[in-house]
Amino acid sequence: MPPLNPNKSPAGISSFADVKGLSRDKPWLLPSNRKLRHLQGISLRNLTLSRPPTRPRGKTSDDESLPNAFRSPKRLLALRESQALEHSRSSDDLKSVPKSHGLSKEGDSDTETQLRERPQIGKLKRRSTLDWTNSLPRARQKKLEDVTRGRMADTWFSLHDVDILEPLYVSEVIHKAMNPDFRFFDLNTYGPSVNRRDELIVKVWAQTENMEDYILLIELKAHFRSLQFIGKTLESFHHPLPPNCIIFHLADGIYTSFTDLPLDEPVPVLPEGLKLPSQAAQFTSSSDALLRLSNLDDCIQDALITREELTNQVNNLLIDKKQELDIINAATQAQESLAATKRAISTARIALKAAQIRRSDLQASLEARRAAIRSGNSSKVKSQSALASVQQQISSYTYLLQTTATEVSGQIRRVCEDLLHIYPVEPTPGKPFHFTVRGLPLPNASSPSSSLKDDPAATAAALSWVAHITHLLSLYLSTPIPYPPTVHGSTSSILDPISISLHSLAARTFPLYQKGSIPFRFEYGVFLLNTNIELLMSRQGLRMLDKRHTLPNLKYLLYVLTVGKGEVPARKQGDVRGLLGFSNTNTGLSLEVQQRGGSDDVMSPESSSGGNGSPIKGKFAAAQDNLKSLSIPTGRASEHRSDK
């Protein structure tokens, strides 16, 4: 076996560089490793909208013209022994050659020889181009634009997968180009299920100026394993490309798919010393079979003649009976038209009946609406007359409402002043933010039961008075509190009707005294009492600084409620008489006033309307001074009272 040539393939066929004389770089990727993730861009070359010829001129339609056709050893041997095929002669070539080309006929004896030989036509004269050369530059430019305009088009492409309905990528539109280069793209966003495929469907769409819409120019199902590598760049490739050639830009170079270049696949060569077996003689058909075939051909010809005769007879019969057939067709059409007219009349009658019913319903509805409009107009007239009389009373009602609101605010001030006289809340000297109620101290610690220095009985009495004040303020301010207290002196309690974890009434009742009670229940009762005070302050627009300070918060609330413009109004005569329920009200009223530590001047109209030396004004000034000395914020209270 001779040694292999490094410049040739193992089968003895020269490489692409040896055949075409071009330098060809080798790709980095193997055909099996080319995947969709390596595709970076697509270009189109030699854009052509017209269909290519069915076969190339000067060649026969034979499989031997294909470069990748399979060639067996027998076929190769036959190709070596066979001579070149001649081009098929058309009917025009078989005719006699005119004398104008310098050819003449010979005698009748040479007629057969002339038919066998192909007539040799003289050299044709080349078409003159003087008109095109001497034309104006504008005409030549227009001609050139017309030629290029017919081949230029707007193009774009889309990439599709076999298993995905939507396109993977849709390119931009390249306008007026024969060799469009589209923008590069990245398909790594689709994941491994798409990037690892080795096949792709490319659809190229084109539109010229004469087209109304885009047409599908190319639909190519490309297999990356069958692509041919043509180089690293297009500039280094000089071979002519076929029309509408799609170029794939992969990571290692440029690929395309065409069949006019020699392939790298080896072509089988007939081994040396191989001889084909001699073909034995084969028998042909017998005379009986040929006679039967001839008879069958005669029968077929007779059948064709009979069919033609029957066709002529039927056509002649139709022509002779044309008038009768026209009458029958006209009668049939008239009957169909009559039936259609009857159906239309029936449908129109049904529609007319429905329209009449609809009209009667609309008339009844319109009559009902007219009656309702008349009733509404009468009611409107009555309402306008009543409205005119009511509008006259609005001003008086508005003034009465304002007066009542002012009087209610003043009475609340007076009631809160009385509560301060009955339950005086005073600061403890030397202890900031520590107060006493009626002389009894109340600690501000988070756990009052943990203080050993305080008297439990005094603490219980102070808490009962605070609970009483809270209950009275909720009534006077019309603000219901969520945890109602039960005042029984030093054994007061408070109820929690909200908690869902407590089921019995005894479990919902928490003491406000330390002696004989569970410490955490007592502490929770104090917490509920402070929550009531916080609710009353929020309803008045106040903000609690510390929830543990019971008496400071209560003092702050009472101070805000007693501050206002003008003097405190006096109690109206007869109010207490009706509440006490006995006739000698003057004695009871004077006793009540004396027990509160007040004077008759406070309750009398003269004292409420007096000058600067009234007792109430003095107490108001003293309350402000005490609050300022205790560093209780008064700006919120003054803002609240100024808003009122």
Side-chain angles (χ1 to χ4, degrees), residues 342-377:
K342 290 181 179 179
R343 289 193 299 268
I345 291 173
S346 177
T347 305
R349 287 177 179 174
I350 295 173
L352 177 61
K353 186 176 181 180
Q356 290 176 353
I357 296 173
R358 176 64 177 170
R359 184 187 63 179
S360 60
D361 294 341
L362 291 176
Q363 288 177 352
S365 177
L366 289 175
E367 188 62 29
R369 291 184 180 183
R370 290 190 184 97
I373 290 172
R374 290 193 294 269
S375 176
N377 290 334

Side-chain angles (χ1 to χ4, degrees), residues 86 89 93-94 110-119:
E86 296 182 359
R89 299 176 179 178
D93 297 334
L94 299 178
D110 298 336
T111 304
E112 185 177 357
T113 305
Q114 292 180 1
L115 294 177
R116 292 179 182 178
E117 297 179 358
R118 184 179 182 88

Side-chain angles (χ1 to χ4, degrees), residues 54-314:
T54 56
R55 64 180 179 87
R57 295 182 178 270
K59 295 183 181 180
T60 59
S61 298
D62 193 1
D63 293 341
E64 300 301 332
S65 62
L66 300 178
N68 58 348
F70 177 72
R71 293 167 181 164
S72 62
K74 295 182 179 180
R75 184 181 294 273
L76 292 175
L77 185 58
L79 289 175
R80 291 178 181 178
E81 296 178 355
S82 62
Q83 298 179 358
L85 296 177
E86 296 182 359
H87 194 278
S88 61
R89 299 176 179 178
S90 62
S91 59
D92 296 337
D93 297 334
L94 299 178
K95 293 181 181 180
S96 59
V97 182
K99 296 181 179 180
S100 60
H101 295 284
L103 298 177
S104 61
K105 292 184 180 179
E106 297 181 358
D108 297 336
S109 60
D110 298 336
T111 304
E112 185 177 357
T113 305
Q114 292 180 1
L115 294 177
R116 292 179 182 178
E117 297 179 358
R118 184 179 182 88
Q120 299 296 330
I121 303 177
K123 186 177 180 181
L124 299 178
K125 185 179 180 181
R126 185 178 179 182
R127 182 173 59 86
S128 176
T129 58
L130 293 178
D131 297 338
W132 175 251
T133 305
N134 298 329
S135 61
L136 296 176
R138 182 178 299 176
R140 298 175 62 182
Q141 180 67 21
K142 185 177 184 303
K143 183 66 176 180
L144 180 61
E145 292 178 357
D146 294 340
V147 171
T148 56
R149 188 183 298 110
R151 300 194 60 184
M152 289 187 177
D154 301 340
T155 55
W156 59 277
F157 72 91
S158 59
L159 304 181
H160 301 265
D161 193 0
V162 180
D163 301 332
I164 301 176
L165 297 178
E166 297 294 332
L168 299 178
Y169 177 76
V170 178
S171 71
E172 73 279 4
V173 179
I174 302 297
H175 298 279
K176 304 300 179 185
M178 295 176 57
N179 300 320
D181 291 326
F182 298 97
R183 187 184 306 164
F184 280 22
F185 50 84
D186 185 12
L187 299 179
N188 292 325
T189 58
Y190 288 96
S193 61
V194 177
N195 294 336
R196 294 177 182 177
R197 293 181 176 270
D198 59 350
E199 59 181 359
L200 183 68
I201 298 177
V202 182
K203 295 183 180 181
V204 180
W205 306 80
Q207 180 187 14
T208 60
E209 294 181 352
N210 301 328
M211 297 180 182
E212 297 180 356
D213 200 357
Y214 286 92
I215 61 172
L216 180 59
L217 181 62
I218 306 172
E219 183 174 359
L220 174 63
K221 186 175 182 181
H223 296 269
F224 286 5
R225 294 188 179 185
S226 62
L227 296 178
Q228 287 85 19
F229 180 77
I230 63 176
K232 297 295 183 180
T233 59
L234 285 175
E235 290 76 7
S236 61
F237 185 75
H238 305 286
H239 186 79
L241 296 173
N244 296 331
C245 180
I246 298 179
I247 297 175
F248 298 89
H249 297 267
L250 270 66
D252 61 336
I254 301 172
Y255 293 79
T256 186
S257 176
F258 45 76
T259 58
D260 59 345
L261 289 179
L263 302 180
D264 294 336
E265 298 179 358
V267 180
V269 180
L270 185 64
E272 297 180 359
L274 179 62
K275 296 183 179 180
L276 295 176
S278 60
Q279 298 181 354
Q282 297 181 359
F283 295 98
T284 182
S285 301
S286 61
S287 59
D288 294 337
L290 293 176
L291 288 175
R292 286 196 299 270
L293 185 60
S294 178
N295 293 334
L296 182 60
D297 184 44
D298 294 339
C299 293
I300 292 174
Q301 295 298 328
D302 293 340
L304 293 176
I305 294 172
T306 304
R307 186 186 66 177
E308 188 68 23
E309 291 177 355
L310 291 176
T311 302
N312 294 332
Q313 290 178 6
V314 171

